[in-house]
Amino acid sequence: GEILSFEIVRSMVRVKERLTYEEAEARLAEDETLKTLHELAKRLFERRLAAGALPVFLPEIEVRVRDGEIHLERLEFTQARFLVSEFMILANFVAARFCQEREIPAIYRCQAKPRERLINGEEQDLLKNFLQVRQLSRGELLLTPEFHHGLGLPVYTTISSPIRRAVDLIMAHQLVSYLAEGKPCFSQENLSRFLR
């Protein structure tokens, strides 16, 4: 679970097969590649826990309107979702380290220690998790890297959801510009205006 080295490059991904979370979950037991990735995800998670991460497991509710009726569905946090989540966290962490090491202006996410720690980070009890949420410090967006106590990581940004979040899109542009031209497209001052 320890990163020995990494490289960020511009690339194009060709998707050979698209899996739903349910399909991936069904394959986890027999697909060797998915099994290996799942084992790595567990090691990454354990390292973050050891570093003080405090994951809070609350149900995700999907709301859909069909034929004028509102439908609510609880999405379970399956092992397939866990696998994807851990590798998205890893990608964001590596991107933040890349920016920090090269002094590329970046928008970092951080979170101070919780006011009180009520759970161990693997607790599934719904009430205890809700109570823990009330004790969490608010996450912040900063231009300097600081520890993210919720994730147990020394530096963190987000690049993994550029379609849904502005910060992810900004950071994706910043990295692509640096990789293509050797310089970022946004200065520290530009980024500070985004945070206002």
Side-chain angles (χ1 to χ4, degrees):
E2 184 178 340
I3 300 169
L4 301 178
S5 66
F6 66 87
E7 183 180 7
I8 295 180
V9 297
R10 293 181 73 192
S11 62
M12 187 173 290
V13 176
R14 181 177 296 141
V15 177
K16 291 184 179 178
E17 184 178 11
R18 185 177 172 170
L19 298 176
T20 64
Y21 283 116
E22 292 76 19
E23 291 166 337
E25 187 74 23
R27 286 195 197 176
L28 267 173
E30 61 236 20
D31 185 300
E32 287 306 316
T33 301
L34 288 177
K35 277 172 38 179
T36 300
L37 289 171
H38 188 255
E39 278 304 311
L40 287 171
K42 288 196 292 193
R43 289 182 190 170
L44 291 167
F45 180 73
E46 288 164 7
R47 287 185 73 81
R48 292 191 310 101
L49 274 182
L54 184 55
V56 177
F57 296 102
L58 295 177
E60 185 178 340
I61 305 297
E62 186 175 78
V63 180
R64 293 187 184 262
V65 179
R66 283 187 223 115
D67 301 323
E69 289 188 19
I70 298 172
H71 297 268
L72 302 175
E73 181 183 352
R74 179 178 168 156
L75 302 176
E76 298 299 328
F77 192 70
T78 62
Q79 292 305 303
R81 287 180 186 274
F82 166 77
L83 187 154
V84 171
S85 173
E86 280 305 311
F87 283 104
M88 286 176 69
I89 291 169
L90 178 64
N92 292 331
F93 166 63
V94 167
R97 258 185 59 186
F98 184 85
C99 291
Q100 181 186 31
E101 289 171 0
R102 287 157 184 79
E103 297 182 352
I104 300 168
I107 298 173
Y108 296 99
R109 291 185 180 270
C110 70
Q111 187 177 32
K113 287 182 180 178
R115 290 181 292 285
E116 186 179 357
R117 194 173 179 121
L118 305 174
I119 60 175
N120 62 15
E122 295 182 271
E123 182 68 56
Q124 297 294 320
D125 182 273
L126 192 57
L127 176 59
K128 288 181 181 177
N129 276 275
F130 270 114
L131 293 172
Q132 182 64 70
V133 166
R134 297 177 68 173
Q135 298 301 316
L136 295 179
S137 300
R138 189 181 183 127
E140 293 183 73
L141 296 175
L142 300 174
L143 299 176
T144 54
E146 290 191 22
F147 200 85
H148 195 299
H149 284 273
L151 296 173
L153 294 171
V155 59
Y156 194 72
T157 189
T158 51
I159 60 160
S160 56
S161 296
I163 293 171
R164 297 184 302 154
R165 296 194 294 233
V167 170
D168 298 50
L169 181 61
I170 291 165
M171 288 307 301
H173 279 298
Q174 192 75 321
L175 285 172
V176 168
S177 176
Y178 182 84
L179 294 171
E181 302 168 20
K183 61 181 183 183
C185 57
F186 302 116
S187 67
Q188 193 91 344
E189 188 179 318
N190 295 141
L191 295 180
S192 70
R193 281 202 292 267
F194 290 131
L195 295 183
R196 287 187 198 145

